[in-house]
Amino acid sequence: DAKTTQPNSMESNEEEPVHLPCNHSTISGTDYIHWYRQLPSQGPEYVIHGLTSNVNNRMASLAIAEDRKSSTLILHRATLRDAAVYYCILRDVGVDRDDKIIFGKGTRLHILP
Amino acid sequence: DAGITQSPRHKVTETGTPVTLRCHQTENHRYMYWYRQDPGHGLRLIHYSYGVKDTDKGEVSDGYSVSRSKTEDFLLTLESATSSQTSVYFCAISELAGGSEKLFFGSGTQLSVL
């Protein structure tokens, strides 16, 4: 899988929007962009994924750059419960895909009350 | 939680002893994964399986072996545990959804090797 680059940490105020960036300049045409988050003392959980178009679900929105070399996870109104490590990964689900799903170190998001 | 159960949840063992961690799933998923997580390193893939008796190495496979004799169980074995294998171990399965695959993780096993 192609590599991703994320900031080590970010801070945001409670009840404000948060934009978490991810760079993936070597993304291939069949790579989906996935976001996961890991709350303290828990396993990672799926947040959202997309291919080309922006995506929305009840947890977050995913904005994908037109050239697909970067994406942004948007939490519209952060709460203290959103404090977690957020991981951006790429998944190629082609027939000959490599299933070594590699997570980086992610972005640790701190929410200030 | 996609029906994933990890056992044990916590284990303390001594250096040199064998340890087996179990991941059990109830929904017939083909792909299963073992990760370890250590401070400063994030999640690192140890081994994964793409079917019964089909497994492959991940990033940090040295000192670990796996077996998958049934679809529902993926076992991770530390043949001779070392202190460097003290970690939190997560099992995961992947499920096809929305043109891609979602990963679902178990609750983790905290392993301490003294």
Side-chain angles (χ1 to χ4, degrees):
Chain A
D1 290 330
K3 294 190 69 173
T4 63
T5 304
Q6 299 177 253
N8 290 332
S9 66
M10 292 182 63
E11 271 186 3
S12 180
N13 293 320
E14 193 177 11
E15 299 186 5
E16 291 186 355
V18 181
H19 290 235
L20 296 162
C22 181
N23 289 318
H24 28 79
S25 58
T26 59
I27 190 170
S28 74
T30 53
D31 280 332
Y32 281 78
I33 301 159
H34 287 244
W35 283 83
Y36 289 80
R37 74 177 186 179
Q38 187 173 19
L39 302 172
S41 302
Q42 296 187 26
E45 63 176 347
Y46 167 85
V47 177
I48 200 167
H49 77 275
L51 184 62
T52 56
S53 303
N54 294 345
V55 184
N56 300 295
N57 66 21
R58 64 175 181 81
M59 291 180 71
S61 295
L62 175 60
I64 301 172
E66 193 169 338
D67 63 6
R68 300 211 323 126
K69 293 185 176 182
S70 65
S71 60
T72 303
L73 179 71
I74 302 166
L75 307 179
H76 294 286
R77 192 165 171 270
T79 70
L80 295 176
R81 294 173 58 185
D82 291 320
V85 178
Y86 288 79
Y87 298 96
C88 168
I89 66 170
L90 304 179
R91 288 290 288 138
D92 182 348
V93 290
V95 173
D96 297 323
R97 71 185 188 276
D98 177 355
D99 282 285
K100 293 184 180 180
I101 304 174
I102 305 299
F103 284 76
K105 296 181 181 181
T107 297
R108 183 172 295 278
L109 176 64
H110 301 274
I111 304 297
L112 305 176
Chain B
D1 66 355
I4 304 169
T5 305
Q6 288 187 235
S7 58
R9 292 294 312 276
H10 302 274
K11 185 166 182 70
V12 179
T13 191
E14 294 184 349
T15 299
T17 59
V19 176
T20 296
L21 308 182
R22 180 183 184 231
C23 180
H24 179 77
Q25 55 129 336
T26 59
E27 300 185 10
N28 207 37
H29 296 290
R30 179 182 173 194
Y31 289 92
M32 299 183 75
Y33 308 86
W34 275 109
Y35 289 87
R36 62 176 289 175
Q37 186 167 42
D38 307 289
H41 288 279
L43 283 161
R44 292 184 290 175
L45 180 66
I46 306 171
H47 281 279
Y48 65 97
S49 170
Y50 44 96
V52 173
K53 297 185 180 176
D54 290 324
T55 66
D56 205 348
K57 297 179 180 180
E59 306 168 85
V60 290
S61 58
D62 288 347
Y64 301 95
S65 63
V66 289
S67 66
R68 191 154 178 218
S69 58
K70 300 183 290 185
T71 298
E72 57 265 36
D73 288 324
F74 191 32
L75 304 180
L76 178 71
T77 297
L78 291 65
E79 300 290 348
S80 177
T82 67
S83 58
S84 65
Q85 292 176 312
T86 292
S87 186
V88 179
Y89 291 85
F90 288 102
C91 172
I93 59 93
S94 65
E95 180 178 279
L96 189 63
S100 186
E101 290 174 297
K102 294 181 183 179
L103 290 175
F104 294 91
F105 286 81
S107 300
T109 294
Q110 173 69 63
L111 176 67
S112 298
V113 183
L114 305 178

